[in-house]
Amino acid sequence: MTDLTQWLPRAVAAIDRWQAQYDDPGTHPSLVIDDRSLESAFTSLTERLTDNYPFFSPRYVGQMLKPPHPAAVLGYVTAMLINPNNHALDGGPGTAAMEKEVVARLATMFGLPQHLGHLTSSGTIANLEALFVARESHPGKAIAYSADAHYTHARMCHVLGVEGITITSDDRGRMDLDALDEVLSTGRVGTVVATLGTTGLGALDPLPGIVALARAHGARIHVDAAYGGFFALIADDSPDGVASAPFGATALADSIVVDPHKHGLQPYGCGAVLFADPEVGRFYVHDSPYTYFTSDELHLGEISLECSRAGAAAAALWLTLEVLPLTPDGLGAALRPGRRGALTWHDLHRQSDAFNAYQPPELDIVTYLPARTSMSAVDAASQAVFRQSGEGEPGEQIHVATYGVSPQQLKARGHDLREDASAARILRSVVMKPESEAAIPGIHARLESIARTIA
Ligand SMILES: *Cc1c(COP(=O)(O)O)cnc(C)c1O
C-alpha cells in the first residue's frame, strides 16, 4: 500500500517551498498554541475516533463505507494546505482546471458526446441540481422515480415544490416499465429518474426501456448512478463484470449523477453532476459583485447551486485518476473483486441450509435471510446474526447490515413466509472493497454458524 508516512511530509514540504517564495509570516501570537495542550487534545481525538466500525477491514461488509485511497488522501491534504475554493477561478485556478478535467473523464466514462458538469459536496446535492434543472426545463411537470430510488428524490421534489411520482418496482427492485408507461401516459411527467445501482439492492433500472418510453412521451431522463456509476468500467457482461445494457444507454441521458466518494475511492464529500446539454447553464445565471474577476473563462460557481466547495476534493480525485484511470484495467480492476465476492457469496447462500439468497446481486450488494418460516422469525434471526457477528475481539468481528422488506417483496422473490408481521429485517452486505473477496468464504462460514445457534 502507498505509504502515507512517506508521502504526507512531501506534501507539507512542497507547499512550504511554494509559500517561501512569497513570505514567511510566522505564526501570529493569537494563533500560537501550546504543544502540550495540542498533545492532549490530539490524544483525546485519536481515542474518540476508535469507536468507529473498522470500515477498512475486509470483514466490514456493512454499509457503503471505506477509507479513501492513499492517493486521494495525498491529493486532498496537499491542496488543502492551500485551501482553494472551486467556486471561482479566483479561488483556485489549478484545482478548478483539475475539476473540469475529471468531470470530462466522468462524461467520457458515460459516453456523453458533450457535457456541462461539476463536482458537488454529495450525491444528494448533485441530484438536487439535476432535479432543479428538470424543474426549470419542464416547468409544472412531475418527476418520476422508482419505489427503490434513493429517499432524497422525494425529499428534493418537496424542497423544489415539484410533484414526485413513485413508480412501482418489479420483483428485483427495478423500475417496472409497464407502471412507468401508465404514469407517462397521463402526460404529467417531465423527467424520469432511472437509478443505476439502487442504494438498497444495487439493482439496475432498465435504462434502455426507460429511455424509449420517456422519449416517446416527451420526458427527460435523469440517471442517478451515485452508487453504481463506476461499474460502467466493467459493464461487459463477463463473468466478473456487470450487465452492459443499462450502462450502454447512459449516453442517452439528459443528466447523470455519480458519487466519487462511493466507488471512486474518494473521501467525503465528492459527488458529481453531468448534463448532456451545456445550454442548461442558463438556469444558473446569477450576479455576484464579489466573485468572478480574474477570468472570462467559465467559473464553476456560475453553473452550480452551491457556493464554496473544496478545491482539495478536485485535487484528490484528479490525483487518484492519474494513477488509477477510468478504464477497465485502472479503476475497473478495483471493482471486479467485489463483484466476484458478491457472486461467490450469493452462490454460497444458494447452497446454504442456514441462509436463503433474497435475490441475485446485479452489482456488489448481497442480500440474504436466515432460513426460517415466518416473518417474525426471519426478523429476529437477522437481528441476532447482525448483533452477534459484530461482537467479540476486533480480529473476529464481522460487520454486516440489515435491510427492511415487506411480505410482498419477499413473496415476489419466491420466499413464502408466514405473515405474522408486516415487515422483516433481512441481511445486506456491501462488498465494496477488493480485499473483501478473499474473506467471503470465512465470513459466510462464521455467519452460518451463528445462524445455526440461534433458536
Ligand atoms: C448514496 C446515494 C445517494 C445520495 O448520495 P450522498 O452522497 O449520500 O448524498 C443518492 N442516490 C443513490 C442511488 C445513492 O446510492
Side-chain angles (χ1 to χ4, degrees), residues 12-65:
V12 176
I15 303 306
D16 274 353
R17 266 198 309 280
W18 172 71
Q19 290 181 343
Q21 299 171 291
Y22 291 87
D23 280 309
D24 179 9
T27 304
H28 189 272
S30 65
L31 300 176
V32 172
I33 50 169
D34 171 7
D35 262 353
R36 268 171 320 177
S37 69
L38 180 59
E39 174 71 42
S40 94
F42 181 73
T43 302
S44 163
L45 169 74
T46 52
E47 278 166 13
R48 291 179 69 162
L49 288 173
T50 59
D51 66 357
N52 279 289
Y53 293 106
F55 306 131
F56 70 95
S57 164
R59 283 174 291 103
Y60 180 89
V61 279
Q63 307 289 355
M64 297 166 172
L65 290 159

Side-chain angles (χ1 to χ4, degrees), residues 131-183:
L131 300 194
F132 161 72
V133 167
R135 184 190 74 181
E136 299 302 295
S137 61
H138 281 41
K141 295 281 188 159
I143 294 173
Y145 39 79
S146 89
D148 281 64
H150 199 268
Y151 72 92
T152 49
H153 290 290
R155 170 179 288 174
M156 290 310 173
C157 281
H158 183 61
V159 168
L160 291 166
V162 173
E163 182 191 5
I165 300 178
T166 304
I167 310 292
T168 316
S169 297
D170 71 6
D171 58 3
R172 289 286 181 271
R174 302 168 296 210
M175 183 179 280
D176 185 273
L177 289 179
D178 291 333
L180 175 65
D181 194 24
E182 214 169 290
V183 170

